[in-house]
Structure formats: C-alpha cells, structure tokens
Amino acid sequence: MNYIKPSFTNIYLRFDAFIHDSFRRNWSKHYSFNQLKDAKPNYKNWKKLTRNEKKEIVSYWGIKDPKKSDFVTHEIMLNVHGKFDVRYCPEKIFRVYLDPGLSDRKIVSAWDDKNYFELHQPNLPFPKTILRNVNGYFLDSNYSHVQIDDAKNIILNNLPVIVKPSIDSGEGKNLKLISNKDEVDDIFNNYKKDYIIQELILQCDEFKKLSPKSVNAMRIVTAIVNGKAVLLSSALLCNTTDSIACNKNVSAGVGVVIIGIDENGKLDDVGYFENAKQIQTLPNGVKFGGIKVPSYKKVIELALKAHESMPMLGIIGWDITIDKDDNPIFIEWNLRGIGMYHSQLATGPLFGEYSQQFADISKKLIKNWKKK
C-alpha cells in the first residue's frame, strides 16, 4: 500500500479546503439571491438597508470586499421582523467561514454517516435500526455482516420501515416508507449503497395533530463556547403536504414550516415557510401557537450533554422528535447544513447573546483565509 507523505498531505488538505471554500462562496451568493427573490413578494413596502446599516454589518462581521449578497440576510430579516439587527449572521459568513471553520474538516465527513451515529453517541435514544448498508455491504443492527437474502428477510420481518441514505440525505432526499414486499425489492434495485433502514417512529399526540403524515422534528442548534455546549436555536419543522419528510419542500410557500420554540417548550404563534411567508394556522386548521412540546427540557439536556462530548464539532443542528410515549428520539445530527436561514427566520439572530464572540471568530477566520 502506498502512503501519502506528510508534506503532500498538507498540500492536498490545503487544495481541498480551497476547492470547498470556493464552492461555498458561489453557493452562498446563489442561495442568498434566491432567498431574496422568494421573500419579497410576501411583504408590502419592502424596505432597503441604509448605507449606515450596511457599514455596521461590514464592521461587525469583518466582511472584506462587500458585495450585494453580503447584505441579503439582514434585508430579509429587516422586513420579516420589522427592525434592523446587526447580529443576524450573513449567509456567506456562515457558509464560507464559520461552518467549515468551527469544526475539524478531517472528521466531519466520517462523523456525518448516519450508520455510525449510535457508535459515536451510544447513550442517545435513536430510532431502532433494522439493517445497514455500508459501502455496498449489509450489516445488522449490531454491525455484523449479513448476506443479501438474509438482509431481505430481516426487512420483511420488520415491516413497515423507513429507508434513507446514510450519507448526504438533506431535505428528506430519497427517504421512503416501505410497507410491502414489492417496495422491499425496490430498495435493492434503486439504492446502491450507503443507506439505513429503521423502525417507523410513532410520534406524540401533539406532533401528530400538526402533521400526521410526516414525523415532525425539532431542529435544535447547539455550539461549543469556551468548552461548554450552549443552546443557540430551537424550532419545530412540520410539513403542509403529505410528505413523510418534515423538511421537504415542494415549491416556495408549500412544504416545510419552521416554528420557534420558547424556553418552556411552547410553540410561537407565528411560523415561516422557506420563502419567509408567515403562517399561524396550518392547512388542516390547527393553530399551533402555545402547543407545548413534551419532554422539552430533557431534549435540550441530552443535546447539550452529547455535544460537550464532541468539542471538535463546533456547531451541530440536531433533528429530534418525540415518540408516542413522550420520549425524545434523536433522528440525526447535521454537521454541515444546520438550517441557519430557517432558524434565524423563526428565532432571531442565530448566535444570540454570543453574537459578538462569533463575529470575532469570523474576523479571525477571514483574516486567515486571506493568507492562503
């Protein structure tokens, strides 16, 4: 076996970082302008940022060579929430600098594989795993190798089940409910490798009332600050369609709704579609304001404790639901796409009381990036 020499490894890592940073820069610009285009039609008398407000944003976040896209987030939040707040994190600052800069790049990809969440955090309550496919090979719930015929029988004996990619499965991509033999055969025909099959979650009455077709999940965002895990944002994702994935969008204003959760576990009166359109009553007639999330304090305690054991991952977006017995179930964690824009729509500036600290980190990361 040929090994990469340490000197070449450093060159490779720098090149890899450069490629990813360039992609993030272009993607953040594209994403920001799409957000603006979708949000504008939902608000009359659209307000623009003043020159002084733009200067304040540039100074606060350490933006170099500011472009129009650097101000999109603040302009949207100004119109959505009715006032200017410099603490909102711009899309580019997060995607290009903070997101990759707060976590160890070398381990994020490996630790983002859903097939291994249970090994990384054995004390967290996850959905019951029926079967795993890792690099084309089948493993049972205890990570023991099984043959393909045995794999099929394991699935058939545990129907209905949920199948989803174990890597790169954002926004409910390729998540399916499997209920019969024909659908089991489809798994082996359509999913090539790297997926996980789990027991169907039966959600609590409060969540079922909101959206019975999908498993509604809380997006809990935590961060490491001075070695301790802190809560940044807490919101509920539910869906207005028949999709089984709560975070799946169909079009602007159709699909996922994000609703802020207060410190007592109660849902806010107003939620938001991805296009920033406000909603207070779901299509099924349910007013969600004031509904209380069962076991909410336990959810936060578990997330914070788990994150403190992984301080090399600076920021995590946890997807957590509540089952029929009011117990928390950790569906997954997100290390690269925490849904910052959605969280800021529903709960305000992502970093809250820690905003100045993260703005200072941003300035240092920008300065170091310029030296590459």
Side-chain angles (χ1 to χ4, degrees):
M1 182 180 292
N2 294 322
Y3 293 96
I4 300 175
K5 295 180 180 180
S7 58
F8 182 79
T9 300
N10 291 335
I11 294 172
Y12 173 81
L13 289 174
R14 287 188 176 216
F15 177 75
D16 183 63
F18 172 78
I19 294 298
H20 279 81
D21 288 342
S22 298
F23 172 79
R24 289 186 182 97
R25 184 177 292 275
N26 291 329
W27 178 249
S28 68
K29 178 180 178 181
H30 169 79
Y31 190 44
S32 291
F33 284 132
N34 276 344
Q35 290 169 350
L36 185 64
K37 180 190 71 175
D38 290 341
K40 269 188 171 182
N42 297 304
Y43 295 87
K44 295 180 180 179
N45 303 316
W46 188 266
K47 297 177 183 178
K48 297 279 191 177
L49 295 171
T50 67
R51 181 174 297 181
N52 286 337
E53 287 169 343
K54 290 181 179 181
K55 286 182 178 179
E56 189 176 349
I57 295 167
V58 169
S59 175
Y60 189 84
W61 290 102
I63 298 172
K64 301 295 182 183
D65 307 318
K67 304 292 191 297
K68 288 182 179 180
S69 59
D70 292 313
F71 307 113
V72 167
T73 298
H74 286 85
E75 186 172 318
I76 293 174
M77 300 305 165
L78 168 65
N79 286 275
V80 171
H81 297 297
K83 62 180 181 179
F84 172 76
D85 191 333
V86 73
R87 297 176 303 159
Y88 282 106
C89 184
E91 193 70 36
K92 185 175 78 176
I93 290 296
F94 186 79
R95 285 184 180 264
V96 178
Y97 303 108
L98 290 175
D99 190 16
L102 290 171
S103 298
D104 189 330
R105 289 175 185 262
K106 297 187 294 296
I107 66 169
V108 163
S109 294
W111 282 53
D112 211 18
D113 187 338
K114 296 175 182 62
N115 270 312
Y116 292 91
F117 284 175
E118 296 162 67
L119 291 184
H120 296 316
Q121 290 293 335
N123 295 321
L124 286 181
F126 289 103
K128 180 182 177 182
T129 295
I130 305 300
L131 191 70
R132 314 172 197 276
N133 185 288
V134 179
N135 196 32
Y137 298 98
F138 289 102
L139 306 177
D140 64 16
S141 58
N142 295 314
Y143 296 93
S144 296
H145 175 71
V146 296
Q147 299 295 332
I148 186 168
D149 290 339
D150 294 327
K152 286 186 178 181
N153 287 329
I154 289 172
I155 300 172
L156 287 169
N157 290 333
N158 287 277
L159 295 177
V161 296
I162 292 291
V163 59
K164 60 185 177 182
S166 59
I167 301 172
D168 187 26
S169 61
E171 296 186 1
K173 183 170 61 178
N174 290 329
L175 184 151
K176 292 183 180 179
L177 173 65
I178 306 298
S179 303
N180 56 57
K181 184 181 182 301
D182 289 340
E183 291 173 338
V184 172
D185 290 337
D186 287 341
I187 295 176
F188 293 87
N189 294 329
N190 300 326
Y191 290 79
K192 302 306 179 184
K193 65 177 185 176
D194 297 317
Y195 53 90
I196 186 169
I197 298 171
Q198 295 177 320
E199 186 178 65
L200 182 65
I201 299 172
L202 300 178
Q203 61 187 336
C204 65
D205 291 339
E206 288 81 357
F207 285 6
K208 191 174 182 179
K209 176 190 309 183
L210 297 172
S211 179
K213 296 287 186 179
S214 64
V215 174
N216 303 278
M218 291 170 282
R219 175 59 59 87
I220 308 296
V221 182
T222 60
I224 298 296
V225 176
N226 299 325
K228 298 286 290 182
V230 300
L231 176 65
L232 296 183
S233 174
S234 179
L236 180 71
L237 300 172
C238 64
N239 210 287
T240 59
T241 71
D242 289 337
S243 170
I244 62 171
C246 66
N247 58 345
K248 187 176 182 64
N249 272 314
V250 177
S251 60
V254 180
V256 62
V257 172
I258 184 162
I259 307 163
I261 305 173
D262 71 15
E263 65 274 11
N264 297 312
K266 289 185 178 180
L267 301 186
D268 292 343
D269 292 334
V270 178
Y272 300 87
F273 287 99
E274 188 169 5
N275 66 349
K277 180 181 178 181
Q278 298 183 2
I279 181 174
Q280 291 180 290
T281 303
L282 296 173
N284 60 11
V286 174
K287 287 183 177 292
F288 47 77
I291 291 178
K292 191 168 184 178
V293 177
S295 306
Y296 179 72
K297 288 187 177 180
K298 185 176 181 181
V299 166
I300 303 304
E301 288 172 1
L302 287 171
L304 292 176
K305 184 176 181 180
H307 196 168
E308 283 190 3
S309 71
M310 304 183 292
M312 68 289 194
L313 304 173
I315 186 164
I316 298 177
W318 307 87
D319 286 347
I320 309 166
T321 192
I322 305 295
D323 72 10
K324 63 182 180 61
D325 297 317
D326 290 348
N327 294 316
I329 299 292
F330 280 64
I331 299 174
E332 62 186 49
W333 61 59
N334 302 276
L335 305 180
R336 284 177 287 192
I338 66 161
M340 182 200 68
Y341 174 68
H342 306 83
S343 294
Q344 293 196 137
L345 275 176
T347 66
L350 178 67
F351 298 112
E353 63 183 287
Y354 308 102
S355 293
Q356 184 61 65
Q357 188 166 340
F358 282 93
D360 291 341
I361 293 172
S362 168
K363 292 172 185 175
K364 291 179 182 177
L365 290 170
I366 291 171
K367 185 178 180 180
N368 291 335
W369 190 89
K370 289 293 183 181
K371 292 179 179 179
K372 292 180 181 180

